[in-house]
Amino acid sequence: MNKIAIDAVLGRIEESTGQDANPRISAIVYRMVRDLFYMIDDLDIQPEEFWAGLNYLAEAGRTGELGLIAPGLGFDHFLDLRMDDAEARAGVSGGTPRTIEGPLYVAGAPVAQGEARLDDGTDEGEVLVMEGRVLDGAGRPLPNATVEVWHANSMGNYSYFDTTQSAFNLRRSIVTDSEGRYRFRSIVPVGYSVPPGGATDRLLKQLDRHGTRPAHIHFFVSAPGHRKLTTQINIDGDPYLWDDFAFATREGLVPPVTRVEDAAAMKALGVDKPFSLIQFSFTLHADTANAPQAEVARQRALVTA
Ligand code: MBD
Ligand code: FE
C-alpha cells in the first residue's frame, strides 16, 4: 500500500482518541499500531499469518509463557542494557553487574540470619557452598543487607513452578551479619530449559534455536541507602555458559568454582563427598536521585505462610 493511504487510516484511528485518554498509554499504543501496520505492509503479512500470530500470543498468555518468550527474544537483556546506560549517564558505574530477573522468582521465602541451607535434602546433586559479602562502592561491608537467592534443582526446575518440590526449596532470604557476610549451602543447579512443545519451544524451533539456559543462581541484593541489585552468577564450565537462550551471561558474573576434597572441610560440613565452593561478593551502588529506580515493580508470585 502507499504510505499516504497507510497514514490516512492510522490518522482516522488516532483521531478516535477521547479527551480523557491516558497520554502515555495512547502514545505507546499508537506507536505500536503504526509499527505493526507498516510491518504488515512491508512483509506482506497475510490474514492467516496475522490470526496465527494473534492466537499464538493468546496461547502463550494462557499457558504463562510470555515471561519466557520475552527473555528468549532478548527483551529482558535489552532492558538491562538500557538501565546500565541510564546509570552511566547518571555517573553510577562499577559495582556488580546486573542481569535479568527472569520469570521464576517467588516472594515470601524464609528469612535466615547470616547463613542458610537452601535444599531440602532430597536432591542428589553435588553439594554447593557459596559465600561472600555485600559491600558498598568503597568496599566497606554492609551488615543487615538482604541477599535473596533462588535457583533450579539438578533437573533444571524451580520450586513452586515445579509442584513436585517442597515449598521454597532452593529459595531463601539471607540477612548479612555484622561483617556483611552471607553464606549458604545448597546443591549445584542445572540449567533450565523451556517446556518441550510449549509456545516458547515452538517459536525457538522456528528460529532454529534452543531454549536452554546455562546453570545459574539468581539474586536480589538490597541494603538501606543502596540501589537494589538484580543479578545472577553462572556455574563456570556449563556447556551453555555463553550460549544462554536468555542472553543473560555477563563478564564479572562467572566466579571460579573450587572443588573441595579436603577431609576436614567435608567433615565440617557433614558431607562424605567432595563439594563445590563459590566465593563471590556483591558491590552495591549508593542511592541516587539521578538514575531511574533500580527496583522494578512487576507481577510476581507471592506465597505467604
Ligand atoms: C530461567 O530460569 C530464567 O532465569 C530465565 C531468565 C528464563 C527462564 C528460566
Ligand atoms: Fe533462572
Side-chain angles (χ1 to χ4, degrees):
M1 254 168 94
N2 75 56
K3 186 173 182 306
I4 291 169
I6 296 174
D7 288 348
V9 66
L10 282 165
R12 277 181 53 210
I13 294 161
E14 283 204 44
E15 275 164 25
S16 71
T17 310
Q19 295 244 306
D20 296 331
N22 178 312
R24 180 67 176 162
I25 300 289
S26 305
I28 293 168
V29 168
Y30 292 133
R31 171 58 184 267
M32 186 173 65
V33 171
R34 171 171 230 282
D35 287 356
L36 290 176
F37 277 22
Y38 271 94
M39 179 183 79
I40 288 168
D41 199 55
D42 289 346
L43 301 183
D44 193 22
I45 290 176
Q46 296 302 302
E48 287 82 356
E49 294 177 311
F50 177 81
W51 297 115
L54 200 76
N55 288 321
Y56 172 79
L57 291 175
E59 178 200 330
R62 274 195 308 274
T63 57
E65 291 209 23
L66 289 172
L68 295 176
I69 292 169
L73 293 180
F75 285 96
D76 304 36
H77 181 58
F78 179 57
L79 297 180
D80 275 351
L81 296 179
R82 288 192 21 93
M83 184 66 87
D84 291 350
D85 192 57
E87 285 185 342
R89 281 182 277 113
V92 175
S93 65
T96 303
R98 67 165 43 74
T99 199
I100 71 175
E101 171 180 336
L104 304 174
Y105 171 79
V106 178
V111 179
Q113 300 297 320
E115 57 179 53
R117 180 168 176 178
L118 274 50
D119 66 300
D120 63 8
T122 63
D123 196 308
E124 299 290 322
E126 178 164 307
V127 171
L128 168 70
V129 172
M130 181 164 169
E131 62 186 14
R133 296 205 224 205
V134 179
L135 307 168
D136 71 10
R140 289 176 300 232
L142 288 167
N144 269 304
T146 299
V147 177
E148 291 181 78
V149 51
W150 70 103
H151 68 79
N153 67 5
S154 60
M155 309 269 282
N157 296 323
Y158 286 78
S159 66
Y160 179 84
F161 302 96
D162 169 13
T163 54
T164 71
Q165 293 183 48
S166 61
F168 290 113
N169 192 36
L170 312 178
R171 301 177 183 275
R172 283 303 179 279
S173 220
I174 305 170
V175 179
T176 59
D177 70 11
S178 59
E179 292 172 352
R181 293 183 190 283
Y182 76 90
R183 179 176 148 94
F184 62 83
R185 170 185 170 164
S186 194
I187 52 99
V188 178
V190 165
Y192 170 97
S193 294
V194 301
T200 314
D201 186 46
R202 278 156 30 228
L203 172 65
L204 294 173
K205 286 209 160 62
Q206 292 290 327
L207 303 175
D208 191 18
R209 288 179 49 187
H210 66 76
T212 296
R213 298 212 58 211
H216 61 280
I217 302 175
H218 294 267
F219 300 94
F220 284 151
V221 187
S222 52
H226 291 77
R227 290 172 67 72
K228 180 169 176 168
L229 172 67
T230 300
T231 196
Q232 306 175 20
I233 59 110
N234 283 94
I235 307 297
D236 198 9
D238 190 294
Y240 288 91
L241 183 61
W242 294 103
D243 187 22
D244 178 8
F245 100 95
F247 309 99
T249 309
R250 304 190 81 173
E251 298 287 350
L253 298 176
V254 191
V257 182
T258 311
R259 199 94 198 297
V260 182
E261 307 193 4
D262 172 67
M266 283 158 53
K267 189 159 181 248
L269 254 196
V271 296
D272 57 4
K273 279 186 263 182
F275 64 94
S276 286
L277 174 65
I278 294 176
Q279 288 166 312
F280 190 84
S281 290
F282 300 95
T283 301
L284 302 185
H285 296 296
D287 274 337
T288 169
N290 302 327
Q293 206 186 288
E295 176 146 26
V296 176
R298 62 186 268 192
Q299 201 174 305
R300 296 181 175 93
L302 163 67
V303 176
T304 50

